[in-house]
Amino acid sequence: MSTGSSLTDRSPRWAPVLILGGGLALVAGLDAALTLSGLPAPVGSARLAVLHGPLMVLGFLGTVIALERAVALRTTWPLLAPALLGAGALALILLPQPLLGRLLLVQGMLLLVVVYLALWRRNCDLLVSVQALGAVHAAAAGLLLTRVEVATVVPLLIGFVVLTIGAERVELARLAMPGGAEATLIAHAAGLTGAALAAVLWPATGGRLLGVSLLFLTAWLVRHDVARRLVRTSGLPRFAAAALLTGYAWLAVAGLGLVLLGSPAVSAAGYDIVVHTTFLGFAMSMILAHAPVILPAVLRVRLPYTAAMWGPLVLLHVTLLGRVLTVGVGTTAGWHAALVGNVAAVLLFVAVTVLTAAGARRRPTGRARHTRHPSPTTEDHAPACPP
């Protein structure tokens, strides 16, 4: 999620439309979360409720990630990956049987692997290989979902999200990383992949191995991420750093939960904690941190930092903390309130983003505002492939 704004110069003007599939997956996934919990929901479909996980992780996150990577390749054919993922999410939402939607999601993820291979051929960046490995995790999870329950493939979905975001954090902070950071991340990625596969085949033992792998990777990322320094600054750098550090904290909670439980499917409480600290606490927090950089690059909109961005971030983490604590003590009423707060935080993030972008569009802007974002990217600092 590190594309500079200049990378959109050669992408089709209609490319931002592809985000709509991911947006629909997000809305349907939030509706499904309310239905699963027994709370009133706008649609309240029992069929959608069982598709909550695939809609949120493969439909929403998958489409956003694939669109950003497709734009980075600066040509048209990679846009088929987010298009397939969005179409898969739409098929899950609309069709009575989920098979076609699941197969479209698998095809979208496999094409995302091809996109990563094309990016690899451009600069031979080891970090791209880690992201490609994450997409393989997601494709395998999508294929297995045609036969097994979502709880079985949670380790693979965790691998997809963690490897993708972890590689992008190293990419963005490349200049601050120690020498050999790429090789170290690959070693972590190999260990996490082996642990995720073990967790699918032997949930108790493999789940604990996955938890240990997450804890080691999180500790390494936190140690070297520039967020530790930027959190002492102000404005956008401080906001992004706070979101990153809290995201890492939730990933550590997920790792600890796996170490203690073995498999997230051991209990409903354990499943709720591991899944939502990973995909809400970690993944969504990372999206909030990077949104002011990602969205202008991908959607061709200005998204200047505003203090209002702290609202969804604080609400997300306060309500997620409440959710974890209420699950721990078994208080259903408090858990329901925390879940509603989680949904409200995500919707508030969407609202703040839309309103901020709309307000920025109405304000006049100079040419200097369209210069490339100074964050280091693969294009800037990755070695070029030899001819």
Side-chain angles (χ1 to χ4, degrees), residues 54-144:
L55 283 170
M56 294 295 288
V57 181
L58 300 179
F60 169 58
L61 287 175
T63 300
V64 172
I65 291 169
L67 180 57
E68 189 273 339
R69 293 286 82 181
V71 169
L73 204 49
R74 310 188 198 184
T75 187
T76 301
W77 70 263
L79 295 170
L80 185 57
L84 284 170
L85 289 164
L90 191 61
L92 287 181
I93 294 168
L94 297 179
L95 298 183
Q97 296 298 325
L99 181 59
L100 177 60
R102 286 171 173 162
L103 292 178
L104 287 170
L105 291 174
V106 172
Q107 290 175 342
M109 280 299 168
L110 289 176
L111 186 55
L112 178 57
V113 175
V114 177
V115 171
Y116 281 125
L117 291 177
L119 287 168
W120 161 263
R121 291 186 63 185
R122 175 181 294 177
N123 50 35
C124 295
D125 187 6
L126 294 176
L127 298 178
V128 174
S129 66
V130 175
Q131 295 170 333
L133 182 58
V136 171
H137 281 233
L143 189 59
L144 287 173

Side-chain angles (χ1 to χ4, degrees), residues 269-317:
Y271 182 88
D272 188 271
I273 291 174
V274 170
V275 166
H276 292 99
T277 52
T278 302
F279 299 115
L280 268 182
F282 174 66
M284 190 59 67
S285 189
M286 294 295 173
I287 289 176
L288 267 66
H290 293 110
V293 176
I294 302 168
L295 294 184
V298 174
L299 301 184
R300 301 176 181 270
V301 296
R302 291 177 55 222
L303 189 64
Y305 165 77
T306 68
M309 292 178 179
W310 285 93
L313 180 66
V314 172
L315 181 60
L316 174 68
H317 293 301

Side-chain angles (χ1 to χ4, degrees), residues 45-250:
S45 167
R47 181 183 64 81
L48 281 182
V50 299
L51 299 173
H52 168 66
L55 283 170
M56 294 295 288
V57 181
L58 300 179
F60 169 58
L61 287 175
T63 300
V64 172
I65 291 169
L67 180 57
E68 189 273 339
R69 293 286 82 181
V71 169
L73 204 49
R74 310 188 198 184
T75 187
T76 301
W77 70 263
L79 295 170
L80 185 57
L84 284 170
L85 289 164
L90 191 61
L92 287 181
I93 294 168
L94 297 179
L95 298 183
Q97 296 298 325
L99 181 59
L100 177 60
R102 286 171 173 162
L103 292 178
L104 287 170
L105 291 174
V106 172
Q107 290 175 342
M109 280 299 168
L110 289 176
L111 186 55
L112 178 57
V113 175
V114 177
V115 171
Y116 281 125
L117 291 177
L119 287 168
W120 161 263
R121 291 186 63 185
R122 175 181 294 177
N123 50 35
C124 295
D125 187 6
L126 294 176
L127 298 178
V128 174
S129 66
V130 175
Q131 295 170 333
L133 182 58
V136 171
H137 281 233
L143 189 59
L144 287 173
L145 281 172
T146 63
R147 296 292 182 183
V148 301
E149 298 296 324
V150 67
T152 304
V153 302
V154 162
L156 294 174
L157 295 176
I158 290 175
F160 163 54
V161 169
V162 172
L163 291 181
T164 301
I165 296 175
E168 290 182 342
R169 282 311 306 158
V170 176
E171 180 182 322
L172 280 166
R174 192 189 299 269
L175 295 179
M177 285 283 169
E182 292 88 349
T184 302
L185 182 63
I186 285 181
H188 280 292
L192 190 147
T193 298
L197 291 175
V200 172
L201 298 173
W202 307 285
T205 302
R208 289 187 169 87
L209 289 175
L210 180 59
V212 171
S213 179
L214 288 177
L215 289 173
F216 276 114
L217 176 57
T218 303
W220 181 76
L221 288 171
V222 171
R223 179 183 178 186
H224 298 293
D225 202 306
V226 293
R228 293 175 57 195
R229 297 194 298 272
L230 294 179
V231 75
R232 303 186 186 95
T233 60
S234 61
L236 176 58
R238 184 177 188 180
F239 167 79
L244 291 168
L245 293 176
T246 48
Y248 288 138
W250 285 121

